[in-house]
Amino acid sequence: MTGQPALRVQGVRKTFGDHAALDDVSLDVREGEVVVVIGPSGSGKSTLIRCVHQLEAIDAGAIYLDGELLGHERHRGGLRALGERRVAAQRSRMSMVFQQFNLIPHFTVLRNITEAPVRVHRRARSEAESEAMELLERVGLADRAHHYPRQLSGGQQQRVAIARAVATKPRITLFDEPTSALDPELVEDVLRVMRGLAADGMTMVVVTHEMAFASEVADRCVFMEAGRVVESGPPSELFTAPRSARLRSFLARHHNARPTTSTVESVS
Amino acid sequence: MTTLSAPPSEAFDDVATARRRARPWRWAAGLALAAVAAQLAWFLVNNDRFEWDVVARYLFEPTVLSGLATTVLLAVVAMAIGSVVGGLLAAAQLSDFAPLRWAATVYVGVFRGIPPLVQLIFWFNLAYLLPRISIGIPFGPEFASWDANTVITPLTAAVIGLSLVESAYMAEIIRAGLLGVDSGQRDAAKAMGLTPAQTFARVVLPQAMRVIIPPSGSQFISVLKGTALVSVIAMADLLHSVQVIYNRTYQIVPLLIVACLWYLVVVTVLTIGQRWLERHFSRGHTAATSARRPTVSTSDGAAA
Ligand SMILES: Nc1ncnc2c1ncn2[C@@H]1O[C@H](COP(=O)(O)OP(=O)(O)OP(=O)(O)O)[C@@H](O)[C@H]1O
Ligand SMILES: [Mg+2]
């Protein structure tokens, strides 16, 4: 039970040209844990998520899912990069929700959700469809199953994207600012769905600027700046007693922008 | 509440009662077009040099029809080979392996840069440059070889020449289409665990097709008309078949009209096909697209 973490990020470094977007980042996520990543723009939050999901190759360090090294295999006493198909198979055990939703425009809502279960996980279509309908019911969009993504509002599209992400029963779901592209009045619908997933025990890594959500749902909060993890701990500690000056000033800026996040009160 | 000026009277305005605006310039343009059309029709009907009876006589002449078949077949084959090779070239140009990129760029530059007429004559005379054509390992053993003079007939020269030109143009069209697909779509497909082949075939290509089809339609039409060039290497295409007739009868104008009518018929059919494909691939891309299967109940309040 106290064994290996679901996700282990260990000393990861990622550079774009000579700019280090991630610099010696380490992070463990236990099964069922909700980890929220916060930090200023450009601090490497998206890069971290994309590296975990193997959308970007890392330059140093290692990432493990359930103890299995991602993106590389042992070969003749060293490591070598995996082929794209093997990487795809590793990815299929994780899921990702994007800031811009990225639903497939020529697939209906239902097809977006069933595509991975049917094509990747080889599930029977009828079975995948009935499960997808249950998920749509949960996110309140059952009546939109046969619509195309362009016919939905941003908030609705993001809820479909979340249903798509969890349809494959991933070991871990990664969220990259899922509410940042939404109008304020649509944010709450999406957060409600995410709270429900957290309550069900889904393992989640969430990049967000929604501090109220972070303090309410996160088991652990990670503050990043300039490609490094500066501070991490339970949100109650991090938000009320920040140790570093940088986190203090980050929180101060966010308090000014969002008055609801001043304390650790939960929003119903 | 509102900063706009309120209506002066106590009565409500209702735009449903509004009259249409008069549009005098539209009427003027319409009349001008009608006059031009009438003049043109009068010219076509009353100028007996068109010899419409001759046109009618040769329109379904067997040699003309077989020329038409040759023209259509050549265009279809050149377009098919051109699309496949063009797709491979586009993939090569987008590859992260530099030598492949360079090779594809040179290929496209050369075959798009030389006039098709010159290429056709060149391929037709290939035997001069390369008396024997063989398949084998470069500078190594040969597996098979043929005499160039027997392999390069007008047909093969035409197919090779048109396909090469076509593939260079299609490579550019397909490359632009692939580049036009939002990178978020590739990310999403990968994130779903789709393999590179599935990502390409199911997510990227259908979206690229929206951009690829309109210029490909124009390209198909220009290749169809481009087949007229093969008459210079004595290939019996549509143009060549009417030339053979008017060289004998000297009825040049009516026979050219026969060819024109057939070119227009084929181009019209192609255009209809293109519109159909465009509609097919625009599925889900316009907000107005209706769902394929209507929902059972559209009660809006059910959401969230
Ligand atoms: N594909 C890329 N090419 C070059 N530089 C990149 C690329 N992606 C990210 N970067 C750089 O890496 C750094 C981290 O970017 P990242 O997108 O991870 O930040 P972020 O914390 O997600 O910011 P935001 O809150 O604005 O989304 C930035 O300086 C960015 O410019
Ligand atoms: Mg980001």
Side-chain angles (χ1 to χ4, degrees):
Chain A
M1 301 303 125
T2 53
Q4 67 194 5
L7 176 72
R8 163 160 285 178
V9 176
Q10 196 179 295
V12 164
R13 187 178 164 78
K14 170 72 189 175
T15 54
F16 291 109
D18 50 9
H19 170 76
L22 294 179
D23 187 5
D24 193 21
V25 170
S26 296
L27 173 72
D28 277 4
V29 181
R30 276 177 286 111
E31 175 148 22
E33 199 177 19
V34 177
V35 172
V36 167
V37 181
I38 58 172
S41 183
S43 57
K45 307 180 299 292
S46 299
T47 306
L48 173 63
I49 295 250
R50 292 175 60 82
C51 285
V52 168
H53 208 24
Q54 306 289 299
L55 294 175
E56 309 274 1
I58 57 177
D59 298 314
I63 302 174
Y64 302 89
L65 181 68
D66 292 324
E68 181 188 329
L69 180 62
L70 294 182
H72 286 77
E73 64 181 345
R74 272 166 242 293
H75 181 72
R76 292 192 191 152
L79 292 177
R80 91 173 161 185
L82 286 177
E84 267 296 323
R85 292 174 63 90
R86 298 269 303 278
V87 174
Q90 289 185 333
R91 269 191 211 113
S92 70
R93 285 152 49 203
M94 302 179 270
S95 277
M96 182 156 175
V97 175
F98 298 87
Q99 184 173 351
Q100 300 296 339
F101 332 132
N102 293 348
L103 294 175
I104 311 297
H106 54 284
F107 288 171
T108 60
V109 163
L110 190 65
R111 191 61 171 260
N112 265 283
I113 301 175
T114 57
E115 183 70 3
V118 172
R119 302 275 159 195
V120 180
H121 298 263
R122 303 279 161 210
R123 308 277 310 280
R125 177 168 294 285
S126 57
E127 217 178 290
E129 284 189 353
S130 68
E131 284 184 21
M133 286 310 297
E134 278 169 35
L135 283 170
L136 281 173
E137 202 82 53
R138 258 190 83 169
V139 301
L141 291 169
D143 58 334
R144 296 287 188 274
H146 301 294
H147 284 60
Y148 287 97
R150 293 272 157 93
Q151 298 171 305
L152 305 185
S153 74
Q156 292 172 329
Q157 289 190 48
Q158 193 61 299
R159 283 182 279 153
V160 171
I162 293 174
R164 171 175 74 174
V166 301
T168 54
K169 304 190 174 69
R171 289 287 293 140
I172 185 166
T173 307
L174 311 163
F175 295 79
D176 188 5
E177 302 203 31
T179 57
S180 295
L182 299 179
D183 290 338
E185 70 270 22
L186 302 177
V187 167
E188 190 47 39
D189 290 337
V190 171
L191 292 182
R192 188 184 306 126
V193 169
M194 291 173 62
R195 261 187 231 113
L197 293 175
D200 287 355
M202 159 100 38
T203 312
M204 296 162 52
V205 176
V206 185
V207 175
T208 187
H209 292 295
E210 298 290 331
M211 294 304 180
F213 174 82
S215 50
E216 178 197 351
V217 177
D219 297 304
R220 205 145 45 86
C221 197
V222 173
F223 173 63
M224 287 184 69
E225 188 173 58
R228 290 175 157 274
V229 173
V230 176
E231 221 173 299
S232 92
S236 53
E237 277 175 29
L238 226 64
F239 290 178
T240 52
R243 272 170 284 147
S244 63
R246 283 179 293 187
L247 177 53
R248 261 197 300 282
S249 71
F250 175 79
L251 289 173
R253 260 176 289 145
H254 272 266
H255 290 185
N256 294 341
R258 288 161 209 256
T260 55
T261 60
S262 51
T263 49
V264 197
E265 69 208 357
S266 76
V267 181
S268 57
Chain B
M1 242 185 97
T2 167
T3 55
L4 297 173
S5 59
S9 75
E10 64 288 344
F12 285 111
D13 293 323
D14 182 0
V15 295
T17 62
R19 260 173 292 120
R20 280 167 176 248
R21 286 172 62 85
R23 294 191 180 269
W25 287 110
R26 287 193 176 184
W27 283 103
L31 283 176
L33 283 175
V36 171
Q39 173 75 70
L40 202 60
W42 197 85
F43 171 69
L44 286 174
V45 173
N46 288 314
N47 187 332
D48 50 15
R49 300 233 170 124
F50 282 117
E51 300 177 80
W52 290 108
D53 54 326
V54 179
V55 172
R57 177 147 30 96
Y58 285 109
L59 195 56
F60 296 101
E61 178 81 8
T63 60
V64 171
L65 291 183
S66 105
L68 173 67
T70 304
T71 285
V72 170
L73 194 74
L74 261 184
V76 168
V77 169
M79 190 70 188
I81 297 177
S83 300
V84 171
V85 177
L88 295 174
L89 285 167
Q93 284 189 312
L94 297 173
S95 147
D96 49 15
F97 185 54
L100 212 52
R101 266 195 327 262
W102 299 330
T105 306
V106 169
Y107 179 108
V108 170
V110 167
F111 291 109
R112 214 165 54 143
I114 301 172
L117 182 58
V118 178
Q119 291 194 42
L120 281 173
I121 299 172
F122 182 85
W123 289 112
F124 191 50
N125 292 294
L126 187 68
Y128 171 75
L129 200 64
L130 198 71
R132 291 198 71 76
I133 298 171
S134 56
I135 295 180
I137 295 165
F139 307 110
E142 287 180 4
F143 303 133
S145 87
W146 302 272
D147 180 5
N149 266 320
T150 56
V151 176
I152 301 294
T153 61
L155 176 69
T156 47
V159 167
I160 293 172
L162 293 173
S163 301
L164 286 173
V165 174
E166 205 41 31
S167 62
Y169 278 98
M170 286 307 293
E172 286 300 289
I173 291 172
I174 294 171
R175 189 176 69 98
L178 294 177
L179 283 177
V181 177
D182 177 22
S183 69
Q185 290 293 313
R186 253 169 269 249
D187 284 347
K190 280 177 162 185
M192 288 158 76
L194 298 182
T195 61
Q198 287 172 322
T199 298
F200 180 75
R202 304 192 54 79
V203 176
V204 176
L205 189 59
Q207 294 182 62
M209 285 306 260
R210 270 171 18 94
V211 181
I212 292 173
I213 286 169
S216 301
S218 307
Q219 196 52 40
F220 200 163
I221 288 170
S222 70
V223 102
L224 181 89
K225 293 181 298 183
T227 56
L229 295 175
V230 304
S231 56
V232 300
I233 54 173
M235 174 98 200
D237 75 317
L238 179 56
L239 179 60
H240 192 263
S241 67
V242 300
Q243 282 172 336
V244 167
I245 299 172
Y246 71 58
N247 283 340
R248 198 178 61 229
T249 67
Y250 300 105
Q251 293 158 319
I252 297 176
V253 169
L255 277 154
L256 283 179
I257 288 176
V258 166
C260 290
L261 288 175
W262 279 121
Y263 281 119
L264 288 176
V265 165
V266 178
V267 166
T268 305
V269 171
L270 284 178
T271 307
I272 293 169
Q274 179 190 336
R275 292 284 179 277
W276 182 85
L277 278 175
E278 279 172 22
R279 262 203 309 283
H280 175 76
F281 283 103
S282 71
R283 190 154 42 90
H285 279 276
T286 46
T289 318
S290 60
R292 257 176 309 173
R293 277 175 288 174
T295 48
V296 185
S297 76
T298 331
S299 56
D300 231 280

